[in-house]
Structure formats: structure tokens, C-alpha cells
Amino acid sequence: MLSARTVKAVLSTTSRASLSKNAGRITSTVAMTKRSASTNSEITHPDSDVPKETIDTIERYNKYTLNTYARPDLMFTHGKGCYIYDTNNRKYLDFSAGIAVNALGHADEEVAKTLYEQAMKLVHCSNLYHNENAGALAEKLVTETVQQGGMDAGKVFFANSGTEANEGALKFGRKWGNLVEPSGKKHKIVSFTNAFHGRSMGALSATYNPKYQKPFAPLIPGFEVAEYNNVDDVKRLVDDNTCAVIIEPIQGEGGVHPANAEFLETVRKECTEHNALLIYDEIQCGLGRTGKLWAHQYFPDSCRPDILTMAKPLANGIPIGAILMTDKVADVVKIGDHGTTFGGNPLATGVALSVLNRLAKPEFLKQVLSTGDVLKKGLDDIHTAYPKIVKEVRGNGMMLGIEFTKDPTPIVKMARERGLLVITAGSNTVRIIPSLTLTEAEAQEGLNLFKSAVHQFSESQ
């Protein structure tokens, strides 16, 4: 209800004599004031409400840190489960999960216990020697993948990040091509529009986005780009000179775009016919994010890859990446072909083994699907409520995207100032990628906050 002061302010703009004539204008002004008051009252975490000490600290650190991110003047100090807290001790529901990394949430007790116990035993010993955790993790990845109906996995190579995993996979593709065709002609790698595979030179060459690529040209030669979900384009570009094709079964950074079955079947068929390797980048969509261990399990067996890359949630925030491959690929990679200093260290692989044991459980994946259904229905309801600004909802499990008709970047701030963290992606999309431990009640809480932000965004248009 409007206060007497607000009503008086509205009436003061109009004389009593012209009140009848301007009644429509007054009604409109009052309605706008109501909406504004309602929207503003929902802002509980304004970005401007930051302690001076935090601002001073950020300014001091910025003198020494190369900043390549547009960040608000907030600093997070701790978290628990699906929530994270800033220096004001304000609580935020985290629907970004460190960009799909914190699958088990923040400050998970089992992860912390494993970290402590392993750090007290052995953190690093180099790959010149065996350690007990790396082999056990490799065995678990291979056996779980096969048992759950994924690719015909054979062996694993450990790296430190998703980008490194993709770099290794691309190298293996080039090695394959040189063995099949010693002349060197078979070196072409095909990637896709809206893809994101990393920032290093090889991975960046497969990431078709002029914004990312142009400042660092010339890139690695031999890459060509096909249109995602375009069967004819795949047939046109994959040929006898192709050594590998790299693709995300569900694109993440590009806007949460799932491949369709006919398209992936065509990609697999063309790779087989031209003796090229098929690489699936499941760095964001794999390891339970979609409600299955691997996203490619949503597709027919005829779509299985030769190589799969993973990283983000594998150790719940401890840096690690991995390349899962069939035996035919492993057979061509020889001693000295590839290496890593930190990859496969006892600390990271010990934590990853603990995390994977939980992510791979059928009951855990079932919970991801059920809570994902709550999120999907809530986003569909927002789509229905705001059809003029919401174009589409896409995704599976807890990898969801809601595409808007206009750039939704302002929604990130609007949500954050209500205590909800979300991030954008390509194609005017907001990504919903919370921790996989999210409860249905937390999902509904986040949906309510997000809808409020979407309402404010709608009113601002």
C-alpha cells in the first residue's frame, strides 16, 4: 500500500481543478510507483553495500593482479552447501557452482577430510613414479563409464584443467592422423559454431568465437568450423584429411545447446567412414550434471566417442582434468608423446576418487534429475509468464539455460542483489548450473528470486 506521503506527492503534481481530466495519468503514475516500490523492496543484497575494508583490499590487490574479468566489488569468504557468503556475511544461493565446478557444494566435509588426510600423507611425487590414487581413479572412471552404458572406455590420462585435457585430446588426434597417413595430409580438425573448448592456443583454435580468437591470431592451422546441429555441414567438412572432430554433446558456454541425435549419429558415422577420431568435450556437461554420468548417454550407442575430456566437477574445485579414451586411441600414444608435471598427483586424484564415488551413485543421479525437473518446470513457468522477453528454456538435469530476446546481462546483477548467483552464456542465455546437491526447496527458493529479477528486467525494457 502507498504511504500518505507518496499519495500526496502524486496529487501535488495535479491541481484539484484538473484532477478529473488527469485521472488516467495519476492512475498510471501510482501504478508505476507501486511497481518500483515492489521491485526495490526485493533488493536485499545491493552491490553498493560493501564494507570499506573490502573495497580497500580489492583496490590493493588490483595493483598486483592482472585482471581479465569484469567483477563486482564483492569478496566471498566462505560457503556451505549451496550457499556462499561475502565479507558482509550476506548469504547468497549459488546457482553458478563456481561455473559448474562445485558439484558437491561448498565446504563439503568429506572433501575437506580427504584433502586433509591426503595432504598429511603425500601431495606430490611426480609421474616418474606410481602413486596409489591415480591408478585407482583411472580404474573407477573406466569401469563406471562402461557399467553405466557410456563409451567403450579403456584408459585415462590425467591433466590439471579442462583446457589441458582438450589440448591432450587434440594432440592425440594429430598423432592418429599422422599414423594413418604418414604424408601429413590427415591433420584437419573440425569443431563447431558456439563451441567453447578453452583458452590455450590449440583449444582456442577449436573455439569459434571471433571475440576470443582475433586478439591472438594467427592460431593453430588446420581447424575448420561446421555449424552445430547441421548434418549437411558435417558431411561437407569431414573428409579423408580429417584426423579428429571435437564437439560438446551439450554446449555450455555457447548457450546450453543440446545436440540432436541425428546430428551426433552423422558426426560419428562420418568419423568412422573417414577414419577420424571423435572427441566429446564433456567438461561442463559430464560427471552427473545432466542426471546421467555422461551426457552422451542420452544418445544412441551409435554416437559413442573415441575420446572424452572432463574436468570441472571431478574434484569439486581441486584442479584436475582427464582424458578418457578407447584402447585403440591409447595404443597409438607412446612413452614421451605427452606429459604433465602436476597431473595425476596424489592429492587431486585422491579427492577426485572420493568425489566420483558419490557422483556416480544411481541414487545421487536420480536426485539430480528430480531436482532438475523442479528447476525446469519453474523456468518454463517464467517463460509462460514473460513470453515477450523469454524465448526458450533448454537443457537436462541441472544444466539448464533460459534464452532471452535481449541481452540478459543485467539480470545477473538483479539476481545477485536479491541473493542469487547466476551467470550468462552465449545466445542471450542465462545458465542455471547449481551444485548437484541442491534440494527441491532450495531450487524453489532460487526460482522465486530469479523470477523477481526477471520481473525487474521486464519492467526495465
Side-chain angles (χ1 to χ4, degrees):
M1 181 178 293
L2 292 178
S3 66
R5 180 179 298 176
T6 302
V7 174
K8 184 177 180 181
V10 173
L11 291 176
S12 67
T13 63
T14 309
S15 68
R16 293 182 181 274
S18 59
L19 182 58
S20 177
K21 179 180 179 181
N22 293 292
R25 192 190 323 171
I26 294 172
T27 301
S28 176
T29 303
V30 171
M32 289 174 63
T33 306
K34 281 183 177 179
R35 287 195 297 268
S36 177
S38 174
T39 300
N40 290 334
S41 68
E42 292 163 347
I43 295 177
T44 55
H45 297 55
D47 285 350
S48 58
D49 185 15
V50 179
K52 183 179 183 301
E53 294 81 5
T54 299
I55 298 295
D56 291 344
T57 300
I58 290 172
E59 289 178 353
R60 177 161 59 92
Y61 289 171
N62 282 343
K63 292 179 181 179
Y64 307 101
T65 304
L66 177 63
N67 187 13
T68 59
Y69 296 92
R71 297 186 281 201
D73 288 333
L74 298 177
M75 184 176 289
F76 291 110
T77 59
H78 62 289
K80 189 62 182 175
C82 294
Y83 295 92
I84 191 168
Y85 299 78
D86 66 12
T87 50
N88 246 358
N89 205 35
R90 294 184 298 186
K91 181 180 179 181
Y92 297 78
L93 180 55
D94 189 357
F95 267 21
S96 68
I99 314 182
V101 167
N102 301 111
L104 299 177
H106 300 286
D108 179 79
E109 292 182 7
E110 184 175 321
V111 169
K113 181 174 182 289
T114 304
L115 265 173
Y116 171 77
E117 291 178 350
Q118 185 60 49
M120 293 297 289
K121 289 173 60 179
L122 187 66
V123 172
H124 179 77
C125 67
S126 92
N127 284 301
L128 299 175
Y129 308 98
H130 297 285
N131 76 71
E132 59 185 349
N133 293 334
L137 176 59
E139 179 183 38
K140 180 69 174 177
L141 282 167
V142 169
T143 56
E144 278 293 344
T145 297
V146 173
Q147 289 172 7
Q148 296 206 24
M151 66 179 284
D152 185 19
K155 287 187 171 59
V156 180
F157 180 89
F158 292 113
N160 305 289
S161 68
T163 295
E164 283 189 32
N166 281 338
E167 286 286 347
L170 295 172
K171 280 183 65 177
F172 297 167
R174 284 280 170 87
K175 176 75 183 289
W176 175 268
N178 286 328
L179 287 175
V180 172
E181 177 50 70
S183 69
K185 290 183 179 180
K186 194 176 182 66
H187 69 271
K188 184 169 73 172
I189 296 173
V190 175
S191 60
F192 294 87
T193 53
N194 292 320
F196 185 88
H197 299 294
R199 306 271 192 168
S200 56
M201 293 302 284
L204 183 61
S205 300
T207 298
Y208 182 70
N209 188 323
K211 178 179 70 174
Y212 297 144
Q213 290 185 336
K214 188 175 180 180
F216 306 101
L219 300 176
I220 306 299
F223 285 79
E224 294 190 14
V225 181
E227 184 179 358
Y228 195 76
N229 274 334
N230 186 321
V231 168
D232 293 334
D233 223 22
V234 171
K235 293 178 178 179
R236 177 178 65 86
L237 284 179
V238 179
D239 55 28
D240 288 340
N241 292 330
T242 304
C243 67
V245 175
I246 183 168
I247 187 170
E248 300 158 272
I250 301 177
Q251 291 183 328
E253 302 288 336
V256 192
H257 296 287
N260 64 60
E262 180 190 7
F263 171 65
L264 279 191
E265 284 182 309
T266 300
V267 173
R268 174 70 272 179
K269 181 180 178 183
E270 291 298 310
C271 284
T272 301
E273 288 185 1
H274 296 286
N275 203 8
L277 298 182
L278 176 56
I279 303 167
Y280 279 175
D281 177 341
E282 293 217 25
I283 290 164
Q284 187 163 154
C285 63
L287 290 166
R289 173 60 53 186
T290 66
K292 293 183 181 292
L293 185 61
W294 303 114
H296 71 262
Q297 291 174 241
Y298 279 98
F299 301 93
D301 290 349
S302 55
C303 300
R304 298 297 185 249
D306 303 298
I307 297 176
L308 181 149
T309 58
M310 70 190 83
K312 287 182 179 294
L314 184 54
N316 206 56
I318 304 303
I320 189 173
I323 309 168
L324 185 64
M325 67 201 83
T326 62
D327 284 326
K328 81 170 186 179
V329 176
D331 287 344
V332 307
V333 183
K334 306 301 181 182
I335 292 176
D337 278 348
H338 199 47
T340 172
T341 296
F342 297 104
N345 69 75
L347 185 71
T349 53
V351 175
L353 182 59
S354 173
V355 171
L356 180 61
N357 280 331
R358 294 163 67 185
L359 294 183
K361 288 181 179 178
E363 58 268 30
F364 184 91
L365 296 172
K366 183 178 179 180
Q367 176 266 326
V368 172
L369 282 174
S370 62
T371 306
D373 287 343
V374 173
L375 288 171
K376 180 72 159 47
K377 182 182 183 303
L379 294 177
D380 284 336
D381 289 344
I382 292 173
H383 181 194
T384 300
Y386 298 93
K388 292 184 179 180
I389 62 167
V390 178
K391 183 177 179 181
E392 187 180 16
V393 176
R394 298 184 293 268
N396 299 91
M398 291 197 207
M399 184 175 181
L400 299 169
I402 179 166
E403 182 178 342
F404 290 82
T405 56
K406 296 181 179 180
D407 179 11
T409 299
I411 293 178
V412 174
K413 175 180 170 66
M414 293 169 180
R416 184 173 62 240
E417 292 196 314
R418 288 163 167 78
L420 176 71
L421 302 184
V422 295
I423 55 177
T424 57
S427 306
N428 287 339
T429 299
V430 172
R431 264 180 295 175
I432 307 298
I433 44 174
S435 297
L436 303 185
T437 54
L438 188 80
T439 66
E440 292 188 9
E442 290 167 340
Q444 195 57 60
E445 176 190 350
L447 287 166
N448 292 340
L449 295 172
F450 186 67
K451 184 174 183 179
S452 175
V454 171
H455 178 76
Q456 183 184 356
F457 182 65
S458 174
E459 293 289 289
S460 69
Q461 300 303 302

